[in-house]
Amino acid sequence: MNLSDGVQVVSLVILSAMVISAAMGVVLLPNVVYSAFLLGGVFISVAGLYILLNADFVAAAQVLIYVGAVNVLILFAIMLVNKRQDYPEFKLSGLRNTITALVCIALFSLLAVSLTSTNWAVQPATFVLTSTLVAIAKHFFYDYLLPFELASVLLLVALIGAIVLARREFVPETTKDSAAEDSLSLLEKPREQLVGTNI
Amino acid sequence: MSLEPFLIVAAALFCIGIYGLITSRNAVRVLMSIELMLNAVNLNLLAFSNFLDSGNIRGQVFATFVIAIAAAEAAVGLAIILSIYRSRDTIDMEQFNLLRW
């Protein structure tokens, strides 16, 4: 890392403020589309924090995978299921939000107190790695080879599972009288009526 | 530069994720909260990898695994949400109570 200490501290403060404010926006904004775009802001700011932590490969992977794939996937899901409906209020929802906020603030203060009071065994940086990419590749292909291959199998399984779960099945048989009204709608598998459905 | 600011930011991000996970009604927002929590975990891993294990960066390897598994989780989770939306015609988390009792 060649940046001076002052630049590092200023970037740390700016990136932390961006991460926290954008994450609050993701959780608290009423419109879910704004939340999805702010989530992209969280991912990019976290990638900046990764660069501050000398992790250039992971920062690049974060930008490529999170911003490029996961965020776009979430935006597509919002586009596909965005139904403008008012959620029916149920009793004690305000109480639930208050209790959850209190529990989260308590958890955060507990974590903050415990991690500031712990005496971490911080190593002084004795030598600087020439390339993090070479070090990560050595880990991947020597001592973490089995998890690496298992991760690729997991990605294949998740790919096939997502296709099986989300595909529309084509239904060829239609009766004569319903063909006219079906011509304007998408051909898909008829909705399965679940037991206990109250819609 | 020290270790604690990164850990505090990660703890704050994790707590915001927990709050969103519990209180949000929209199922897509629940998935976004899970992504926030996974990012907090990654930030922790990279902070410890930089300050406690700087010569032998194992934390970055684990962070890469977490990123791969988060991508798989997002794909399967959104497919499940699409499937639920087709069968129930809503994404309100309070109405997905088929398996509750």
Side-chain angles (χ1 to χ4, degrees):
Chain A
M1 178 63 71
N2 294 321
L3 295 177
S4 66
D5 280 342
V7 177
Q8 289 189 32
V9 170
V10 169
S11 348
L12 173 65
V13 170
I14 291 175
L15 286 172
S16 305
M18 281 172 63
V19 166
I20 300 300
S21 55
M24 296 292 277
V26 168
V27 171
L28 296 178
L29 279 185
N31 193 343
V32 74
V33 181
Y34 296 160
S35 298
F37 281 110
L38 278 178
L39 189 69
V42 175
F43 290 155
I44 291 179
S45 313
V46 171
L49 286 177
Y50 291 171
I51 291 176
L52 274 183
L53 289 168
N54 300 320
D56 45 2
F57 173 71
V58 184
Q62 166 96 4
V63 172
L64 283 176
I65 295 174
Y66 271 111
V67 185
V70 172
N71 206 5
V72 172
L73 199 63
I74 285 175
L75 279 171
F76 264 96
I78 290 171
M79 184 187 75
L80 285 176
V81 301
N82 197 6
K83 185 181 180 185
R84 300 206 175 274
Q85 61 173 355
D86 293 327
Y87 299 127
E89 283 294 319
F90 62 102
K91 57 184 181 184
L92 300 179
S93 69
L95 180 65
R96 184 186 68 173
N97 290 359
T98 313
I99 290 177
T100 311
L102 285 178
V103 167
C104 288
I105 291 172
L107 178 63
F108 172 68
S109 46
L110 174 68
L111 285 174
V113 167
S114 63
L115 69 89
T116 47
S117 62
T118 306
N119 199 3
W120 299 108
V122 176
Q123 289 179 349
T126 53
F127 61 98
V128 179
L129 285 175
T130 55
S131 166
T132 59
L133 196 57
V134 174
I136 291 174
K138 279 180 183 168
H139 281 303
F140 271 150
F141 288 103
Y142 286 108
D143 44 354
Y144 295 105
L145 182 62
L146 183 63
F148 183 68
E149 301 295 336
L150 280 181
S152 61
V153 174
L154 176 86
L155 282 176
L156 177 67
V157 170
L159 180 72
I160 297 173
I163 292 172
V164 169
L165 279 173
R167 71 170 173 174
R168 299 165 184 265
E169 289 183 8
F170 188 71
V171 184
E173 72 274 14
T174 50
T175 56
K176 286 293 182 184
D177 48 350
S178 67
E181 64 190 51
D182 280 345
S183 63
L184 291 179
S185 60
L186 282 172
L187 281 173
E188 63 179 311
K189 190 169 67 173
R191 178 180 305 160
E192 297 158 7
Q193 198 68 25
L194 297 177
V195 178
T197 310
N198 50 4
I199 52 173
Chain B
M1 293 289 283
S2 63
L3 177 63
E4 282 85 3
F6 291 99
L7 298 186
I8 287 179
V9 170
L13 198 58
F14 192 80
C15 293
I16 292 171
I18 289 179
Y19 179 78
L21 184 69
I22 296 177
T23 60
S24 53
R25 305 282 299 269
N26 194 332
V28 181
R29 200 190 293 263
V30 171
L31 272 182
M32 289 195 243
S33 306
I34 294 174
E35 300 295 332
L36 285 183
M37 293 164 68
L38 285 167
N39 265 293
V41 171
N42 266 343
L43 194 54
N44 252 332
L45 282 174
L46 288 183
F48 282 120
S49 155
N50 188 32
F51 287 102
L52 270 67
D53 191 22
S54 61
N56 193 6
I57 42 173
R58 294 189 198 89
Q60 300 195 12
V61 181
F62 278 96
T64 316
F65 285 134
V66 171
I67 287 176
I69 289 174
E73 176 261 343
V76 176
L78 290 171
I80 288 173
I81 286 177
L82 278 184
S83 175
I84 286 177
Y85 179 69
R86 277 196 208 130
S87 64
R88 304 291 295 251
D89 205 20
T90 181
I91 48 171
D92 186 4
M93 290 299 285
E94 294 299 322
Q95 297 183 23
F96 300 157
N97 52 6
L98 192 64
L99 294 179
R100 183 175 281 175
W101 303 124

